[in-house]
Amino acid sequence: MLQKSEEEWKKELTPEQFDVLRKKGTERAGTGKYLKNKETGIYTCAACDHPVFISTTKYESGSGWPSFTAPYSGDSVKVLMDRSHGMVREEIVCANCGSHLGHKFPDGPKDQGGERYCINSVSIDFKKEEE
């Protein structure tokens, strides 16, 4: 797993990326640059470029954040218990660098496994598929 000091992360990431990826913050609903993205390609961790989601699993959940039904692969993200803010949720982090990506909820499309990976746009980058 990629390891860097918080000072190294702070130098490499924008203030908003640092807040979300390293301090487990969130972007405001409806503001993310990838919320409406419909292009074909791969979403990578904005901190380390590790593939985390693919466009074929992205869908419009109405939540205000990009949503996916599954990660890129079985080992691209890790699920951790998040007991912050008086709630119990499943946090999604990058399996390569441990950066916070978002949360997983059990209210996704039933015909696709029933899971919703609710991801902050600021925590991911997009690589468009070559035509």
Side-chain angles (χ1 to χ4, degrees):
M1 184 155 113
L2 176 67
Q3 294 185 352
K4 295 183 183 184
S5 71
E6 291 305 294
E7 281 305 311
E8 288 174 298
W9 285 123
K10 202 170 211 172
K11 288 178 186 171
E12 293 176 18
L13 302 171
T14 69
E16 186 182 22
Q17 286 176 321
F18 184 77
D19 179 58
V20 174
L21 288 160
R22 305 308 304 169
K23 297 298 181 187
K24 303 179 189 273
T26 191
E27 63 195 6
R28 280 187 311 119
T31 64
K33 63 184 173 182
Y34 297 122
L35 180 61
K36 305 272 187 214
N37 185 30
K38 297 196 186 317
E39 294 183 292
T40 302
I42 295 173
Y43 293 88
T44 60
C45 173
C48 73
D49 206 36
H50 181 69
V52 288
F53 294 96
I54 191 163
S55 61
T56 55
T57 65
K58 187 174 184 289
Y59 74 103
E60 181 56 55
S61 69
S63 68
W65 289 274
S67 296
F68 302 85
T69 57
Y72 178 78
S73 69
D75 60 356
S76 58
V77 301
K78 289 184 180 178
V79 180
L80 308 173
M81 292 312 287
D82 176 0
R83 298 183 189 282
S84 64
H85 307 293
M87 298 178 272
V88 177
R89 299 179 288 174
E90 292 184 298
E91 178 187 11
I92 303 302
V93 299
C94 173
N96 187 54
C97 71
S99 290
H100 174 78
L101 302 175
H103 290 89
K104 182 173 88 166
F105 300 98
D107 60 0
K110 298 293 181 222
D111 63 337
Q112 294 178 43
E115 296 179 325
R116 172 172 57 99
Y117 291 78
C118 187
I119 306 300
N120 292 286
S121 284
V122 72
S123 67
I124 52 177
D125 286 325
F126 181 72
K127 293 185 181 336
K128 186 176 178 179
E129 185 178 272
E130 302 280 328
E131 294 183 18

